[in-house]
Amino acid sequence: MRADLGKTWRSGEPFIWLTGGALAFALLLVAGLVGLILGNGLGFFWPSGVIRLTLADGKIMTGQVAGREAIPGRPGQSRIKLKVANRDLYGADFNWVDEAAIVRREFPPDVAVIERTEWGLLVGTIREVREGDAVVATEPEGSWREVQTRLPEAARVRAEVRRIETRDIGAINVAQERTRLRLKTLDRKGITSGPDVEALQQEMAALQLRYTEQARRLGELRERQGASVVVAADQGQEKALPLAQVFDVYFPNRMSGSAKLRHYGARVWEFVSDEPRESNTEGGVFPAIFGTVMMVMIMSVLVTPLGVLAAFYLREYAKQGPFVSAVRIAVNNLAGVPSIVFGIFGVGFFIYIVGGSLDRLFYPDALPTPTYGTGGILWASLTLALLTVPVVIVATEEGLAAVPRGVREASLALSATKLETTLRVVLPAVMPSILTGLILAMARAAGEVAPLMITGVVKLAPALPIDDLWPFLHLDRKFMHLGFHIYDVGFQSPNVDAARPMVFATTLLLLGLVVLLNLFAINMRNRLRRTYATVAV
């Protein structure tokens, strides 16, 4: 028996089963992680039905079922988690209801779910529509028709107000600040009067007139938003909601399957293309997508030449010895340093030293308000470039080691110089390895959060790093990031339960973004391989 076991072990078959089992377990863990994110993230956009519960004590509760679990210590009994919304009326978005206390369940078709700019969802029955103090429609169906008529105009006015606040008045504020700095520059030079000063003062006065005009337009638009809809909630409570605060109204209990699919698609599009609302717990994540992609692109542009040049020197030009070996070990160990350490370095070196020096040299009139001496997308990208450069160096070095020595010697034998051999023979051959390192660097950079929290990322950015104001690309601006968005919504939100679906949806989006960036780099690598294989033939 023992001889048979020993023979079986020596044959290597148990080790094959052991390695296969380890791989299967790892795949199960990955599949479980992806399945959990997919299930929770994709379900966030589906318009669930609204249930109305009548309890044994006569209390009525209306909302969407968000979960169900067994009651601890009470075998055989369970409770459901009901998203009742109406946070401003009830004080909480969710309530737990014992199923044993429920005497009646119904799905009333006239219950509306209203997405609004503040306080999350509003769930209830539309009672009437008012214009100021005058009632213009009563009864649920008549009021709903009136809401449908007025909602597009309310959305147009809201978009106009948003455009004036962010673009028109924002551009005026930027122009006023630049004029103020030019006046400050003249004052610093001792010029307090004269044609230059008068021209700038006239320019400032013209900007103030433009600001006053835009403020007047804002006031007129807001005065036109006098319509409101009255919604009846549970326990006889009512809410008069201005139509200007209404984004969407839908009746999930009367929607067909195709209508729910259309609504689902519209919400997904809103999620990826709109701006966030209510401290990031509602609305879209477009600024975070833009900031993440732009930061990764800037990081890639910075880290690739730095890592490739360092690897070429270590492998092609440096004299191999103890010092180069020590440098190589240090580079490998650098990849294991906690990312927050790189963040501290980014704050101390890039922001305080480099950024502070730039401010003193080129923006002295703006001080003490820093321009580059504070967090921004440039410093965050440089910090992540430093964090990921060991990955590019190691991948490039491995590629260089795989290039046969005979290839280099053949090139040199044909009278090519060392530089020509490096640029025209070795570099093309090692390009797939460089892109492999870049793929790994991009994946890590897209998911990092800790160093970004102290080098430039913010909860809400007032403007994107690229806009239509000169110089169009603003590398000094702070930005939003999907990874930080997940942390902020999941752990810093005042209403974690309501924000949890947003966490999974944003996580799913971040995973998709990393996959897309990797597919783009992999496609480039494969095309380069085919190109240089053809050239070699």
Side-chain angles (χ1 to χ4, degrees):
M1 183 66 179
R2 292 183 61 183
D4 292 340
L5 287 175
K7 184 178 180 181
T8 304
W9 177 254
R10 285 193 299 273
S11 69
E13 188 172 347
F15 189 69
I16 296 174
W17 280 98
L18 181 63
T19 54
L23 175 62
F25 183 67
L27 290 177
L28 279 176
L29 290 179
V30 174
L33 172 67
V34 174
L36 176 69
I37 295 172
L38 283 173
N40 288 277
L42 294 177
F44 173 57
F45 306 103
W46 187 255
S48 303
V50 178
I51 190 171
R52 177 168 290 163
L53 305 176
T54 303
L55 306 185
D57 59 0
K59 187 177 180 181
I60 294 178
M61 301 181 70
T62 306
Q64 296 167 313
V65 177
R68 184 174 183 270
E69 67 177 24
I71 301 177
R74 293 161 63 180
Q77 297 188 29
S78 59
R79 61 186 180 185
I80 59 174
K81 187 180 183 182
L82 200 64
K83 184 178 181 180
V84 294
N86 306 352
R87 193 186 315 155
D88 47 340
L89 297 178
Y90 306 152
D93 287 276
F94 296 90
N95 275 332
W96 285 98
V97 183
D98 291 354
E99 289 192 297
I102 300 173
V103 297
R104 185 179 180 187
R105 302 171 188 242
E106 55 184 337
F107 291 86
D110 61 340
V111 175
V113 177
I114 302 175
E115 293 183 28
R116 49 184 175 168
T117 57
E118 300 174 352
W119 298 101
L121 295 179
L122 179 64
V123 176
T125 305
I126 297 177
R127 283 291 172 82
E128 62 185 29
V129 177
R130 298 173 183 169
E131 181 65 49
D133 294 332
V135 177
V136 296
T138 57
E139 303 299 329
E141 290 304 320
S143 300
W144 169 230
R145 286 194 294 272
E146 189 66 24
V147 169
Q148 284 181 300
T149 304
R150 292 172 177 260
L151 212 51
E153 175 63 14
R156 190 194 66 77
V157 173
R158 186 172 57 247
E160 179 73 8
V161 169
R162 175 70 179 164
R163 187 185 66 79
I164 293 174
E165 288 177 339
T166 57
R167 290 191 56 187
D168 298 346
I169 293 183
I172 293 172
N173 288 336
V174 171
Q176 284 180 322
E177 177 62 15
R178 288 174 179 172
T179 305
R180 186 188 69 80
L181 291 178
R182 289 159 65 189
L183 280 169
K184 191 176 177 181
T185 302
L186 292 177
D187 182 69
R188 188 163 53 88
K189 294 178 180 177
I191 304 173
T192 56
S193 61
D196 291 341
V197 174
E198 291 175 0
L200 290 174
Q201 289 174 343
Q202 291 175 1
E203 187 176 332
M204 184 67 86
L207 290 171
Q208 185 59 39
L209 285 176
R210 287 175 55 193
Y211 180 87
T212 305
E213 172 63 19
Q214 296 299 336
R216 184 189 62 77
R217 288 179 59 198
L218 274 180
E220 290 179 354
L221 288 171
R222 285 170 177 154
E223 286 179 0
R224 288 163 52 187
Q225 298 176 313
S228 61
V229 56
V230 178
V231 178
D234 295 335
Q235 324 311 331
Q237 298 189 68
E238 287 190 345
K239 172 71 178 178
L241 180 67
L243 275 181
Q245 297 181 10
V246 177
F247 274 100
D248 192 18
V249 182
Y250 59 96
F251 298 84
N253 292 344
R254 66 170 74 167
M255 293 171 74
S256 63
S258 59
K260 287 189 175 183
L261 281 175
R262 287 195 299 274
H263 183 85
Y264 184 89
R267 288 202 62 192
V268 171
W269 174 248
E270 177 196 354
F271 180 67
V272 298
S273 64
D274 210 346
E275 297 182 352
R277 306 192 305 267
E278 295 202 65
S279 300
N280 292 339
T281 59
E282 299 285 345
V285 293
F286 176 75
I289 298 174
F290 190 92
T292 304
V293 173
M294 185 171 175
M295 184 208 66
V296 171
M297 292 294 107
I298 295 174
M299 184 279 302
S300 301
V301 170
L302 295 172
V303 75
T304 304
L306 181 62
V308 171
L309 290 174
F312 265 81
Y313 182 79
L314 286 174
R315 179 63 62 174
E316 299 289 320
Y317 295 101
K319 183 180 179 181
Q320 303 301 312
F323 180 74
V324 172
S325 298
V327 171
R328 194 169 281 124
I329 292 172
V331 169
N332 292 333
N333 288 336
L334 201 61
V337 174
S339 58
I340 190 64
V341 175
F342 288 92
I344 298 296
F345 176 81
V347 171
F349 180 72
F350 293 129
I351 295 178
Y352 290 160
I353 297 179
V354 181
S357 301
L358 290 175
D359 282 350
R360 287 189 291 274
L361 285 173
F362 301 106
Y363 306 96
D365 296 325
L367 292 174
T369 302
T371 303
Y372 281 94
T374 183
I377 193 168
L378 175 62
W379 305 136
S381 302
L382 276 169
T383 303
L384 287 187
L386 190 63
L387 186 148
T388 55
V389 73
V391 178
V392 179
I393 292 175
V394 171
T396 306
E397 268 212 279
E398 290 179 354
L400 287 170
V403 177
R405 178 180 294 274
V407 174
R408 296 179 177 86
E409 291 174 349
S411 175
L412 295 172
L414 293 173
S415 302
T417 64
K418 177 75 172 177
L419 178 61
E420 290 171 334
T421 301
T422 299
L423 295 180
R424 300 190 178 185
V425 177
V426 179
L427 181 60
V430 82
M431 191 61 77
S433 297
I434 295 174
L435 286 176
T436 299
L438 182 59
I439 290 168
L440 297 173
M442 291 168 68
R444 182 170 184 189
E448 281 293 344
V449 175
L452 302 180
M453 293 171 66
I454 52 179
T455 55
V457 76
V458 290
K459 179 185 180 75
L460 286 170
L464 296 176
I466 296 178
D467 60 19
D468 57 351
L469 298 176
W470 177 260
F472 310 123
L473 176 61
H474 306 276
L475 296 176
D476 58 314
R477 284 184 181 173
K478 292 179 171 54
F479 66 105
M480 295 179 67
H481 184 269
L482 285 173
F484 183 78
H485 186 275
I486 294 170
Y487 163 76
D488 175 64
V489 175
F491 299 98
Q492 302 295 313
S493 171
N495 193 343
V496 175
D497 277 344
R500 186 174 295 124
M502 175 72 86
V503 172
F504 284 105
T506 309
T507 304
L508 180 60
L509 181 62
L510 180 58
L511 281 178
L513 191 63
V514 171
V515 170
L516 283 177
L517 289 171
N518 279 269
L519 287 177
F520 174 72
I522 290 171
N523 182 53
M524 282 185 60
R525 182 181 63 186
N526 293 338
R527 292 180 64 179
L528 284 171
R529 278 179 175 163
R530 288 195 297 269
T531 300
Y532 292 119
T534 305
V535 170
V537 172

